[in-house]
Amino acid sequence: MTLPIIKKRTYASNMTSKRIEKIAVYTFLTAGVFIMIVPLWWMIVSSLKTKGQFLGTQLSLAMPEEPQWINYAKRVWEMTPKLQLGILNSAIISFSTVIIGSIVSSMAAFAYAKLRFPGKNKLFLAELATMMIPFSVIMIPQFIIYARIGWLDTWYPLMVPGMLGNVAMIFFLRQYMSGIPTSLIESARIDGAGFFRIFWTIMFPNAKPAIAAQAILWFMGVWNDYFAPSIYLNNPAKATVQVMISQLNAMYAIQTDYPLLLAASVIAMLPVLIIFMIFQKQIIASVALTGLK
């Protein structure tokens, strides 16, 4: 009779330990969400204050009684340099780089995953090795090269390297495309389809969730990039939105007009949030399918 009792006690203790683990995990995740959301909420709330309200209640998370929507409707667009110009410049650089670069990267991933050519694995490993090199190591050589070919103070250093492909995206898509049945390609080859047609009609549609997920993450990186534009661009008319916010900070922080600067930061953040909300299903589907493969 003692054996069933021991089993019940063991089962009860296991259930208790699992509940404790779940509570600990949920507590940790809740704390993480709180830590990430509070600064964003503080930025939004502070951007709706006047200068006097901000200086008097800097750490307050409460919405002001009279939100200053004029900061978004009018004042932020009257700042000098023009924020809308920086948004337009960032949009041109980001969309051009990500769209063309995603197509090139997906084609390279298709070649590494399904085609046969001499030195394929060595070339792929060589590309992966470039991911281990910090940007600070190659920053000076790149700057010298771009200066000698006349690319300084242009968008070429920010766009051309990305248009030629993203190594991280190539690696991810290669792993994803490796799970697509090779029999589809063989059947298409028997029917007389070329490699480009196979890529465009078979591989690209099947890899859309993965391509969309990587493109969104890449867009976020390009849009939020501050370091490279600040190195290569000197003309204020060509500055990206992140560089322009830095310039605005240098001008308006002296006037303690922090609500206006925070409003500009919120506007600069909106495109990334909107694109993420639109394509969040593709990101979730990509993660789920990759796990199944």
Side-chain angles (χ1 to χ4, degrees), residues 39-86:
L40 296 176
W41 176 250
W42 175 85
M43 181 171 65
I44 295 172
V45 169
S46 299
S47 67
L48 296 173
K49 297 178 180 179
T50 62
K51 289 194 294 184
Q53 290 174 337
F54 178 82
L55 295 175
T57 58
Q58 291 188 18
L59 299 180
S60 175
L61 296 176
M63 186 70 70
E65 295 181 0
E66 296 181 0
Q68 301 297 311
W69 296 108
I70 193 174
N71 290 343
Y72 288 93
K74 183 179 179 182
R75 295 187 65 218
V76 74
W77 307 112
E78 296 176 348
M79 301 173 74
T80 303
K82 297 296 183 180
L83 182 66
Q84 53 267 39
L85 180 60

Side-chain angles (χ1 to χ4, degrees), residues 92-134:
I92 294 173
I93 294 172
S94 300
F95 282 106
S96 301
T97 303
V98 172
I99 291 174
I100 298 176
S102 296
I103 296 174
V104 173
S105 299
S106 57
M107 293 176 68
F110 165 61
Y112 285 129
K114 297 300 182 182
L115 302 187
R116 296 179 182 177
F117 54 90
K120 179 180 73 171
N121 295 330
K122 293 181 180 179
L123 183 60
F124 181 67
L125 291 176
E127 288 198 16
L128 288 182
T130 61
M131 298 176 62
M132 310 301 172
I133 304 175

Side-chain angles (χ1 to χ4, degrees), residues 150-169:
W151 280 11
L152 292 185
D153 206 19
T154 67
W155 289 342
Y156 294 129
L158 307 177
M159 298 173 63
V160 174
M163 288 180 177
L164 297 177
N166 184 309
V167 179
M169 188 174 187

Side-chain angles (χ1 to χ4, degrees), residues 251-267:
M251 297 176 61
Y252 285 84
I254 301 175
Q255 306 173 21
T256 64
D257 200 347
Y258 294 105
L260 194 59
L261 293 173
L262 293 173
S265 300
V266 172
I267 292 174

Side-chain angles (χ1 to χ4, degrees), residues 40 43 72 76-77 83-84 86-88 90-91 94 219-220 222-225 240-246 248 260-275:
L40 296 176
M43 181 171 65
Y72 288 93
V76 74
W77 307 112
L83 182 66
Q84 53 267 39
I87 294 174
L88 178 62
S90 292
S94 300
F219 176 85
M220 293 169 61
V222 177
W223 181 272
N224 294 324
D225 187 18
T240 61
V241 65
Q242 306 303 333
V243 175
M244 198 161 288
I245 288 177
S246 176
L248 293 172
L260 194 59
L261 293 173
L262 293 173
S265 300
V266 172
I267 292 174
M269 180 181 63
L270 284 179
V272 175
L273 293 179
I274 292 172
I275 290 178

